[in-house]
């Protein structure tokens, strides 16, 4: 990319939480119909983006919630965490009308730099096997599929994912 879009990456703070929850819902509704059922979308949004969960997440010492602004507008977020000894990019979501402009790439770079600073040699993530667009993006960022995993997330739902890894 020649002219990188100027974005500002800042930590999510408590007053940001309701806007992050709303942004997550908007992006999920634009992404997951056709990949998972509406019932699973609603269940997972409540499980992962309920405001109480987000308030709790930002207090954790081994989790980092970053949000990206472009010209003052909140356009996406990336959450990462230390999980079972690995550095995990847990959630990466860009508003539909700001996708494919390099925002996701800049958030991945930001996350990879944090992981490297903390001494990790790889960044890992999970992605739904049917989320072809995200998988294409992750390949572009240098991730490769490491394994497949089916996880029971409660409520009668499973996540059918690839684990992808980017060496740092
Ligand atoms: C996947 C996502 C995070 C990528 O972020 P982004 O800012 O849109 O992507 P970038 O601009 O950094 O693009 C990186 C590369 O990914 C690939 N890519 C991005 N969107 C793509 C799409 N819709 N179809 C195919 N390839 C795509 C391209 O190769 C792109 O490079 P190019 O535009 O130079 O060809 C973002 O599109 C998104 O939030 N999607 C919906 C939610 C989602 O699925 N999140 C991931 C959950 S695990």
């Amino acid at each position: 990319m020649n002219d990188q879009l100027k974005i500002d990456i800042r930590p999510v703070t408590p007053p940001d939480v309701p806007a992050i929850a709303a942004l997550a819902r908007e992006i999920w509704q634009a992404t997951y119909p056709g990949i998972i059922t509406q019932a699973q979308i609603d269940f997972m949004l409540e499980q992962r983006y309920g405001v109480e969960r987000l308030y709790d997440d930002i207090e954790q010492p081994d989790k980092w919630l970053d949000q990206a602004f472009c010209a003052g507008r909140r356009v996406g977020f990336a959450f990462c965490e230390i999980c079972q000894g690995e550095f995990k990019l847990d959630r990466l979501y860009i508003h539909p009308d700001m996708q494919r402009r390099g925002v996701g790439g800049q958030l991945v770079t930001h996350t990879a730099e944090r992981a490297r600073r903390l001494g990790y040699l790889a960044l890992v993530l999970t992605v739904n096997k049917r989320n072809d667009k995200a998988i294409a993006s992750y390949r572009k960022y240098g991730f490769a599929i490491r394994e497949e995993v089916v996880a029971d997330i409660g409520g009668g739902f499973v996540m059918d994912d690839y684990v992808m890894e980017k060496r740092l």
Side-chain angles (χ1 to χ4, degrees):
M1 196 178 311
N2 297 328
D3 295 319
Q4 196 175 64
L5 188 72
K6 174 92 184 77
I7 65 163
D8 183 21
I9 299 174
R10 298 182 217 151
V12 175
T13 64
D16 301 314
V17 160
I20 292 289
L23 181 59
R25 175 164 290 280
E26 194 176 354
I27 301 172
W28 273 56
Q29 284 303 149
T31 303
Y32 287 117
I35 296 180
I36 53 178
T37 63
Q38 185 62 45
Q40 184 163 352
I41 292 171
D42 292 338
F43 179 83
M44 292 183 71
L45 280 170
E46 183 53 36
Q47 192 182 54
R48 288 146 181 257
Y49 297 96
V51 288
E52 293 308 324
R53 165 72 195 265
L54 292 172
Y55 286 129
D56 187 58
D57 280 347
I58 53 183
E59 298 297 326
Q60 304 303 317
D62 54 357
K63 293 187 184 197
W64 295 264
L65 281 63
D66 294 310
Q67 53 187 337
F69 290 83
C70 183
R73 174 187 167 207
R74 184 183 284 100
V75 294
F77 56 87
F79 299 172
C80 56
E81 63 179 7
I82 297 167
C83 180
Q84 297 176 343
E86 296 196 290
F87 204 89
K88 183 177 183 192
L89 175 59
D90 187 38
R91 307 170 208 178
L92 179 66
Y93 288 93
I94 312 303
H95 190 277
D97 68 23
M98 288 297 289
Q99 291 175 7
R100 297 206 79 167
R101 297 179 63 186
V103 179
Q106 291 190 58
L107 283 166
V108 168
T109 300
H110 185 82
T111 304
E113 281 167 1
R114 175 181 289 130
R116 211 178 288 119
R117 243 184 355 258
L118 292 171
Y120 289 85
L121 302 177
L123 188 56
V124 299
L125 59 81
T126 56
V127 56
N128 189 293
K129 283 181 193 158
R130 297 172 66 196
N131 192 349
D132 297 330
K133 293 176 184 171
I135 293 167
S137 301
Y138 292 138
R139 287 191 192 283
K140 181 101 176 203
Y141 303 145
F143 287 84
I145 292 171
R146 186 173 83 182
E147 60 191 298
E148 302 181 7
V149 60
V150 179
D152 184 337
I153 55 167
F157 300 112
V158 294
M159 290 198 314
D160 188 13
D161 287 346
Y162 290 124
V163 178
M164 299 185 77
E165 177 179 283
K166 174 184 166 69
R167 304 301 298 174
L168 300 175

